[in-house]
Structures are given as structure tokens and as C-alpha cells.
Amino acid sequence: MRLSRYFLPVLKENPAEAQIVSHRLMLRAGMIKQAQAGIYSWLPLGFKVLRKLENIVHEEQMRAGHIPMLMPTLQSADLWRESGRYDDYGEEMLRITDRHGRDMLYGPTNEELITDIFRSHVSSYKDLPMTLYHIQWKFRDEIRPRFGVMRGREFYMKDGYNFDLTKEDALHAYNRHLVSYLRTYERMGLQAIPMRADGGPIGGDYTHEFLVLAETGESEVFYDSEVTDLSFGDRAIDYDSVEQCQAVLEEFTSRYARTDETHDEALFNEVPEDRRRVARGIEVGQIFYFGTKYSEAMGATVQDRDGKPVPVHMGSHGIGVSRLLGAIIEASHDDKGIIWPEGVTPFHAGIVNLKQGDEEADAACETLYAALEAAGLEPLYDDRNERAGGKFATMDLIGLPWRITVGPRGLKNGVVELTSRRTGESEEMPPEEAVKKLVKIYEGHLVKGL
Ligand code: P5A
């Protein structure tokens, strides 16, 4: 992409309404624009990152054997009356009436809708296990939408639902989700720690939230510092193996780690004092096992091996895809702007032309641009007639992990400069070397965007 032809409305000033750094930087980097309280338009740069996160989520869900689909945002109130949640959900639910006077709602979650699909089409245990998921906009009329996309009213969620014959099978689905979530967050450059939590309006008492530690997080968390030493890495996992998935669950959840809703002071005090931590975290996902809560209420049964109808065991599993942008920025920025992890960066490298209009510099930039694209990378070429300082500030603000600086002086010696956004370190090298180096850096990190 050439910056002269892109739409990147960066702001010079700090927007007054933004209280936390991720909100401020998303506005300043021209990623989002508030449409109404808690409702945002996703401008091209924000949309590009959102799509990359979405694609990582898809890849990891499909790797775990889960099946993608798409359900609507508007739902019928009748389904929610069947589960009993229409009245329970309260004011957070946006209720709408159509021209025929039918009660509808903008879905805050989809347990009812998916259970209805399941009961209409599945009647035998032979079709199980099954996990369906989608990534779709949700609406929750939060009393205090704030912090930008972090606590929106309209937000983008991946929600998945497992259907199993037995509790044991459903717990395997739960563990499978835990593993796939660990992989997902790590690919986004995040450490998200599973912590025992509360079921809230979704239900069930077996649930973990995934928390990214951050001072601006809305949840208070209590944990054994050893949990921060764990990482899933690139180990191989067989998602069908009950033992392997169970082992990962045990490894990642056996130490004390709880949100304030389930915090138990006596248990916490059993953690050696020097490892006890009280901190704040951003909830980027939650997994639930709730048994037959919805299947019994809504008559979602299958015939078991003896031909007897039994309600299926279910769980649901969510990732806050739009919130993740905020969480990643909270975890990765400095006073100049965002620092995108390689796995999610909107563009892989910025090209800064120090002397736009200089024949040699322009030609070198064009060649670099073409070479990066041919290698499957997405460069952002700042080809505007701006001062170098302004170009650098924009690149730093929008946070591309690598920058190639091209100027007449370097070109005389046959070199350009490759700079790391994270360390600030620069290295001079011939342009072809820079391309090679970037290709190597992004090996295994290439995610399709738009
Ligand atoms: C699990 C999937 C559920 O709704 N039903 C379907 C279950 N869980 S949840 O924890 O309530 O939400 C899942 C994730 O969505 C994100 N989230 C939000 N993101 C932005 N703004 C909000 N107002 C908001 N509310 C929830 C969180 O990341 C949460 O973990």
C-alpha cells in the first residue's frame, strides 16, 4: 500500500476522551472512530488488524477440529423465552420490535440460537462430538461503555459451542478449547493466563477466563507468580487425545489463579508469600462447561447407544476479538506509539523515502516495494512529500515492527537502513539483504489480511 493512496487519518493531538493508552493510540493512529458511545467504525488500519486477528482465530479453531459457520446478529425473543434468559438478561440486552410487533433482540451471545439449530438437525449420538463456532458482532448495552473497543456495546466475538453425549466428552471439548486459546493468544504475541472465574449470565460453575495482565485491566486477579512462567510454545498437540489436552489443562490451571469473583483468601494464603500476586487483567476470553442447562430447557436431545433420548452436554467458549486489539496495544507500546507483534501487524514493514522526488531514491523505493510484495509481504510505502521527521513519527505511531529508510546518501553506498520498532536499532544493508531478512523474520508469522 502507498500511503498517498491510503486512508490513514492520524491525529496529532491526544484525544481528550481517551483515558487509557490503547484507546488513545487507536484513535491517534486512525484505526477507529467512535460512532456512538461504545460503538465504533473500523477505519482501514483498524479493520486490517481486526481481520488478521479473526484469521488467526479461524486457523486455530479449525486446527482444533471446530466447524466455522455464521449466525445472524438479530434473534427472536421466543428462543430466549424457552431458555428463561429473556427476562433474566436484564437491561444489557438490546430489545427491538419489528413492524409485525414481534419481539427481537440484538444477540449478546448465541447459546439459544445454536441450540435451536442443533435440535433441528441432530438426533443421534453418532453425530457427536460436534463443535460449531462463528465470529460475529454482539451487542450488550453496557451501563458504562469505556476504554474504546475494550468495553464496547457493539463488539466482535468468536463464540463456539460444543455438543457432546457425556460430561467426560464435554470436558474434553473444554480442554481442547483451553489448548486452542493458549495457541491463539500466543500467536498474537500475548500471554493470556487461564484463571478460575464465575459463570455469570452464561451459567455453569466450571469456567476459566483468560487474562492479559495490565494495569488498566478491569478485573482484579490473584495468582501464583509461577503461572507467568508458562508458555505453550510450538509443541505438537493431538486435539483428539484426551490425555494430551487434559495434561495441558493441568499444567496451566493447577496453580492458584483466580479473578476476584472466585478468589479464596485461605487457598491463596497457601501459595508461598513471595509468589503471591494481586494485579489487574484484561479478560480476552472465557470458556464454560454448563452441562445440560440449555439442552434440557430447549429439548436438545440425542438418542444414545441404547436408543434412549438424552439431553446433550454443552459448553460455550468466547474470544473477545475486537477487545484483543486494545489488549495487544496495552501490552505492547511505548511513548511514541504502538509496537505490533509480528504475528498481527497490519503491514509488515514501512518504507520511508527520505527524499521524495529524487530519481534514485524513488526508484529504489519502488524496487523494494515490488520485491517485498513479490515475497508475499505487505509493505506500507510512505511516498508523500513530507519531512522525514513527520514520516518517522507516523511510522512509530502506527507501530509497524520494521522500517526501511531509503535516502540518496545511503544509496550512494548501495545501502538502506533497516530499523526495529521494538529496539530502535538500525542496520545498514543492501536493499536485497533487507528483503531477505524480513522474509526470514516473518517466516511462520504470515497471516492473511485485507
Ligand atoms: C462464551 C461464548 C460468553 O458470552 N457465550 C458465547 C459465552 N462469554 S463472555 O465471557 O461473556 O464473552 C466472551 C468474551 O467477549 C469479550 N467481551 C467484550 N468485548 C468487548 N466489549 C464488551 N462489552 C465485551 N463483553 C465481553 C470478552 O473478551 C469475553 O471474554
Side-chain angles (χ1 to χ4, degrees), residues 109 111 140 142 150 152 155 161 202 283-286 288 316 320:
T109 176
E111 281 78 8
R140 293 182 185 173
E142 303 274 353
M150 206 78 99
F155 61 97
Y161 305 84
I202 307 295
E283 179 203 330
V284 290
Q286 187 163 5
F288 300 81
S316 71

Side-chain angles (χ1 to χ4, degrees), residues 89 108-111 138 140 142 149-161 202 209 283-288 316-323:
Y89 218 94
T109 176
N110 282 48
E111 281 78 8
K138 304 286 184 293
R140 293 182 185 173
E142 303 274 353
V149 299
M150 206 78 99
R151 178 163 298 280
R153 293 198 296 163
E154 188 182 49
F155 61 97
Y156 207 38
M157 189 205 288
K158 170 262 161 182
D159 42 324
Y161 305 84
I202 307 295
E209 283 181 7
E283 179 203 330
V284 290
Q286 187 163 5
I287 53 178
F288 300 81
S316 71
H317 315 276
I319 294 181
V321 181
S322 48
R323 173 178 289 182

Side-chain angles (χ1 to χ4, degrees), residues 345-360:
T345 183
F347 295 97
H348 298 110
I351 303 173
V352 169
N353 188 345
L354 291 179
K355 200 161 182 206
Q356 205 69 44
D358 176 272
E359 213 169 296
E360 225 187 312

Side-chain angles (χ1 to χ4, degrees), residues 351 360 363-373 375 377 404-406 410-411 413-418 427-441:
I351 303 173
E360 225 187 312
C365 287
E366 290 298 334
T367 310
L368 254 179
Y369 185 75
L372 289 168
E373 286 209 316
L377 299 177
I404 307 176
T405 311
V406 181
L411 288 175
N413 302 320
V415 295
V416 295
E417 198 181 55
L418 184 64
E427 229 187 309
E428 290 193 333
M429 60 188 80
E432 314 80 61
E433 275 303 302
V435 174
K436 261 200 218 136
K437 197 161 173 185
L438 287 171
V439 168
K440 187 131 193 63
I441 286 167

Side-chain angles (χ1 to χ4, degrees), residues 4-190:
S4 64
R5 298 189 198 167
Y6 201 44
F7 179 54
L8 185 72
V10 298
L11 306 179
K12 292 242 153 37
E13 304 297 323
N14 269 333
E17 75 265 31
Q19 298 164 34
I20 61 171
V21 69
S22 58
H23 187 194
R24 195 155 60 230
L25 289 174
M26 286 183 80
L27 291 169
R28 285 202 47 213
M31 298 177 71
I32 51 169
K33 179 180 181 340
Q34 180 172 305
Q36 290 175 55
I39 305 179
Y40 291 87
S41 296
W42 292 78
L43 306 181
L45 192 73
F47 179 57
K48 203 159 163 49
V49 180
L50 188 69
R51 274 282 177 267
K52 291 211 175 177
L53 299 185
E54 181 178 355
N55 286 345
I56 291 175
V57 172
H58 273 304
E59 282 179 22
E60 293 305 327
Q61 286 308 298
M62 289 192 275
R63 195 194 303 279
H66 305 157
I67 310 168
M69 61 177 294
L70 186 60
M71 289 174 267
T73 51
L74 293 181
Q75 302 183 21
S76 153
D78 288 341
L79 281 180
W80 287 68
R81 292 196 176 101
E82 281 189 53
S83 72
R85 282 208 294 181
Y86 189 62
D87 293 326
D88 290 354
Y89 218 94
E91 294 199 302
E92 262 191 29
M93 180 187 275
L94 180 65
R95 294 154 209 261
I96 307 161
T97 311
D98 74 7
R99 64 164 73 189
H100 304 291
R102 291 189 200 105
D103 293 330
M104 307 206 296
L105 55 102
Y106 194 124
T109 176
N110 282 48
E111 281 78 8
E112 285 78 0
L113 199 53
I114 196 83
T115 304
D116 179 53
I117 292 169
F118 181 87
R119 73 179 171 186
S120 307
H121 297 289
V122 182
S123 55
S124 163
Y125 76 93
K126 289 182 194 150
D127 292 324
L128 306 182
M130 185 189 286
T131 294
L132 301 167
Y133 78 93
H134 73 161
I135 305 180
Q136 177 62 293
W137 294 97
K138 304 286 184 293
F139 196 95
R140 293 182 185 173
D141 204 354
E142 303 274 353
I143 187 155
R144 273 220 297 161
R146 57 180 185 161
F147 302 162
V149 299
M150 206 78 99
R151 178 163 298 280
R153 293 198 296 163
E154 188 182 49
F155 61 97
Y156 207 38
M157 189 205 288
K158 170 262 161 182
D159 42 324
Y161 305 84
N162 67 284
F163 300 92
D164 288 279
L165 183 61
T166 63
K167 178 172 179 181
E168 291 71 49
D169 290 351
L171 290 178
H172 173 54
Y174 187 92
N175 298 348
R176 221 173 42 230
H177 279 89
L178 181 123
V179 177
S180 69
Y181 280 23
L182 291 172
R183 280 188 58 101
T184 303
Y185 298 123
E186 283 189 18
R187 279 187 65 183
M188 298 174 178
L190 283 176

